[in-house]
Amino acid sequence: MSNKTAPNFHPKESIMTDHPIGRRGLLTAGAMLAGATALGTSSALASESTAAVGATGYTPQPLPLPFDPKMIAGLSEKLLVSHHDNNYVGAVKRLGAINSQLSALDPTTAPGFALNGLKREELIAWNSMILHEIYFAGLGAPTSPGKALATAIERDFGSEARWRSEFVAMGKALGGGSGWVLLTYSHRDKRLVNQWAADHSVTLAGGTPILALDMYEHAYAIDYGAKAAAYVDAFMGTVNWTVPDSNFARATAI
């Protein structure tokens, strides 16, 4: 897929919007595969960019980068394009291939290990797709959280500074390993939490990711080598809260 986006492409207008968790709209309210609610939020995103479920199975389509990769301070165009085209698009294609195999499988006769193996890989690929979309949707010209989200962050963490220090420390603690740091809304508890996730298959049940920090080495090695802490600082300096604000609004509306 092309690495370039249209000149007038704006993060507010395209990625994850219908999803309670997922894609630009995605990012919103309901949704992750880890919990039915969590995946629902990825719906918007999914709604605007994925194909249909039918006899041939679920065939998702990747979204373009929601920003000009030359314009993200602290993260190079080379890094962002590689991350998008190889890791994110790879997860989308993998999910489609897995679902093609699942649609051709007879669950009544297939060996349990074959079915379970495919379903495990489906979960990993699906969450990787969604979390990468949330990650990219959170990048852009730096802004501050909108009023509603800022109020919730202060309520649930004590202050934005306290939230930020915990989120950053969690990311730096994952340096040298693999995983995600997610600002997630718990529908059960009606509150925000910073969630640690060491794998694409680990998400808060009944939670909607609002903002995602990718701590897999592919997200920073091209620019920062093993200096994961410097990457975390660069990421925090380029967070655009437009989509996270929308994700939060959708999540709390459910």
Side-chain angles (χ1 to χ4, degrees):
M1 81 183 285
S2 170
N3 300 332
K4 297 181 180 179
T5 53
N8 296 323
F9 189 96
H10 193 288
K12 295 183 181 178
E13 300 170 351
S14 67
I15 228 181
M16 319 173 171
T17 300
D18 260 37
H19 278 322
I21 164 184
R23 311 186 147 220
R24 185 140 249 166
L26 128 207
L27 309 172
T28 318
M32 282 209 77
L33 191 53
T37 332
L39 183 49
T41 140
S42 160
S43 263
L45 208 204
S47 330
E48 62 181 52
S49 74
T50 57
V53 175
T56 56
Y58 170 59
T59 307
Q61 299 300 317
L63 297 175
L65 282 170
F67 48 73
D68 182 344
K70 296 183 180 70
M71 303 302 293
I72 304 299
L75 302 176
S76 71
E77 177 184 13
K78 181 179 180 180
L79 170 65
L80 292 166
V81 170
S82 174
H83 190 176
H84 176 274
D85 291 2
N86 293 303
N87 303 101
Y88 163 63
V89 174
V92 177
K93 290 180 177 178
R94 190 164 67 252
L95 178 60
I98 291 166
N99 276 278
S100 291
Q101 292 193 35
L102 281 169
S103 66
L105 198 69
D106 181 350
T108 65
T109 59
F113 67 83
L115 178 60
N116 284 353
L118 283 171
K119 294 303 288 186
R120 175 184 181 278
E121 293 303 316
E122 177 191 49
L123 176 62
I124 290 172
W126 209 328
N127 276 353
S128 178
M129 177 182 74
I130 290 170
L131 291 177
H132 274 102
E133 288 170 353
I134 298 172
Y135 170 79
F136 289 124
L139 298 176
T143 62
S144 297
K147 183 176 180 181
L149 183 51
T151 298
I153 287 174
E154 183 171 357
R155 177 196 68 207
D156 297 332
F157 293 95
S159 67
E160 183 180 340
R162 175 65 177 76
W163 163 77
R164 181 178 292 267
S165 64
E166 182 179 271
F167 193 89
V168 167
M170 290 170 66
K172 293 181 178 180
L174 276 170
S178 297
W180 297 86
V181 182
L182 307 172
L183 173 61
T184 297
Y185 179 74
S186 169
H187 293 270
R188 179 193 184 280
D189 302 296
K190 303 293 188 291
R191 68 183 301 271
L192 293 165
V193 61
N194 283 330
Q195 186 218 319
W196 170 92
D199 190 359
H200 299 306
S201 62
V202 179
T203 58
L204 178 67
T208 294
I210 304 300
L211 177 72
L213 167 59
D214 189 344
M215 287 306 302
Y216 282 83
E217 289 187 348
H218 63 242
Y220 59 86
I222 288 175
D223 286 357
Y224 293 96
K227 297 178 181 178
Y231 156 71
V232 173
D233 291 336
F235 171 86
M236 296 304 293
T238 193
V239 173
N240 183 294
W241 288 91
T242 302
V243 173
D245 281 337
S246 296
N247 296 338
F248 179 70
R250 289 186 176 86
T252 54
I254 294 177

